[in-house]
Amino acid sequence: MHSESHTPTNGPAPTPVKIVIAGGFGVGKTTFVGTVSEIEPLNTEKAMTRLSEGVDHRGAASLKSTTTVAMDFGKAALSRSHMLYLFGTPGQDRFGFMWDDLVRGSLGAIVLVDAQRLDQCYPAVDYFEHRSTPFIVAVNQFDGQAEPDLDQVRWALDMSEETPIVSVDARDLPSVKLALMALLGRTLARARAKAAAAA
Ligand SMILES: Nc1nc2c(ncn2[C@@H]2O[C@H](COP(=O)(O)OP(=O)(O)OP(=O)(O)O)[C@@H](O)[C@H]2O)c(=O)[nH]1
Ligand SMILES: [Mg+2]
């Protein structure tokens, strides 16, 4: 594990908080992890032989020349006692076998979506719904796109009111922090509901 020189070596190790950044091809997962991470993020980018295969040519994804083949990894201190670990999934379906390992032990997930290619996020939404993993949907604001209508996104995804849908700019730290807060809020609400049901 990476250890910064200014990190005291005594005292208890910070509690890890693991969050997964998921979604379809080219929706900004690697960018999101890089924005949050205080260390140089670990990327597993590989050049694509054919540009944006299978993507209709709208939005930033059409300009991509690389794609994540294993995962993204970044970390940031939340406080003295909590360390955030972010794992970004590969976007292409053929790397789907990675997901179980990436998601194990996570507090929850952010499903990033491009409002112009909503269908790309269905596998991720299905995945987290089936596993009852707390998640939120974050609509990434790409250049040249109109402000997304979040109610319309909710309707299109047939998503219950319980699941927050927020808009985000994956390149902007204050914006991604808000998305992370929304996920933590959702995770807490789920934990409270479970505790109440068990009481
Ligand atoms: N305008 C804008 N562009 C973005 C944003 N996030 C990412 N991009 C651009 O969109 C492209 C795709 O971003 P990536 O972060 O590589 O997407 P990804 O989801 O990791 O892609 P895969 O790993 O291939 O699935 C890049 O060219 C980014 O510069 C954003 O919030 N706004
Ligand atoms: Mg990526």
Side-chain angles (χ1 to χ4, degrees), residues 26-31 60 64 67-68 91 140-141 143 169-171:
V27 290
K29 303 175 295 294
T30 298
T31 306
K64 272 168 66 76
T67 189
T68 304
N140 201 1
Q141 186 74 62
D143 292 336
D169 182 334
R171 302 162 302 176

Side-chain angles (χ1 to χ4, degrees), residues 26 28-31 43 45 64 66-69 71-72 88-91:
K29 303 175 295 294
T30 298
T31 306
N43 303 133
E45 298 294 286
K64 272 168 66 76
T66 64
T67 189
T68 304
V69 293
M71 64 171 185
D72 306 300
T89 64

Side-chain angles (χ1 to χ4, degrees), residues 131-197:
R131 278 162 189 75
S132 301
T133 307
F135 73 98
I136 67 160
V137 170
V139 183
N140 201 1
Q141 186 74 62
F142 286 97
D143 292 336
Q145 285 185 6
E147 184 80 19
D149 180 338
L150 300 183
D151 288 336
Q152 207 174 330
V153 171
R154 183 178 296 287
W155 177 82
L157 296 180
D158 193 19
M159 197 133 281
S160 76
E161 290 290 335
E162 287 172 344
T163 303
I165 301 183
V166 301
S167 93
V168 73
D169 182 334
R171 302 162 302 176
D172 179 53
L173 183 58
S175 175
V176 297
K177 274 185 178 167
L178 286 176
L180 288 166
M181 292 304 291
L183 173 62
L184 292 178
R186 174 67 186 132
T187 305
L188 269 176
R190 275 277 302 272
R192 287 201 186 104
K194 272 192 180 171

Side-chain angles (χ1 to χ4, degrees), residues 45-64:
E45 298 294 286
K46 286 279 184 302
M48 285 184 285
T49 43
R50 274 184 279 165
L51 286 189
S52 308
E53 197 171 4
V55 173
D56 65 0
H57 284 246
R58 283 181 297 178
S62 62
L63 303 172
K64 272 168 66 76

